[in-house]
Amino acid sequence: MSATQTAGERELAELIVTALNLEGVAPGDIDPEAPLFKTGLGLDSIDALELALEISKRYGFQLRSDDENNVRIFSSLRSLAAHIATNRVNG
């Protein structure tokens, strides 16, 4: 059974599904603890770039491609939502 999404995770899941045009994926079906890349949601590096752009537009801070913490930050919906909550400027 998958973990329950927080409000911030749900908002981010909706952004991911919309920004990346994930057909057949409902935001509420994304397990907040499952990997976003490869085995989990199956995203790739192009998806990461598009997602980083959408996050910067919506939340007002940049996700840098050379950040050594990106593997951890993008590891799951939960970790990405926590990073946004810590760094967001907008909203």
Side-chain angles (χ1 to χ4, degrees):
M1 176 158 177
S2 64
T4 305
Q5 294 175 351
T6 66
E9 289 165 354
R10 176 63 183 220
E11 179 183 308
L12 181 57
E14 291 170 2
L15 175 79
I16 291 170
V17 169
T18 303
L20 302 179
N21 297 316
L22 299 179
E23 293 185 16
V25 177
D29 291 342
I30 299 174
D31 183 338
E33 296 175 354
L36 290 176
F37 294 87
K38 298 182 179 134
T39 56
L41 206 49
L43 304 183
D44 61 24
S45 58
I46 301 297
D47 294 325
L49 291 170
E50 289 182 36
L51 195 50
L53 181 63
E54 288 300 317
I55 288 169
S56 71
K57 281 193 225 173
R58 176 164 306 179
Y59 300 109
F61 75 97
Q62 298 292 323
L63 286 162
R64 297 175 46 101
S65 60
D66 60 353
D67 187 331
E68 66 214 18
N69 295 311
N70 278 343
V71 170
R72 178 185 54 77
I73 292 166
F74 281 93
S75 65
S76 68
L77 179 66
R78 178 149 293 156
S79 62
L80 185 54
H83 183 74
I84 289 169
T86 303
N87 293 282
R88 69 189 294 170
V89 176
N90 304 338

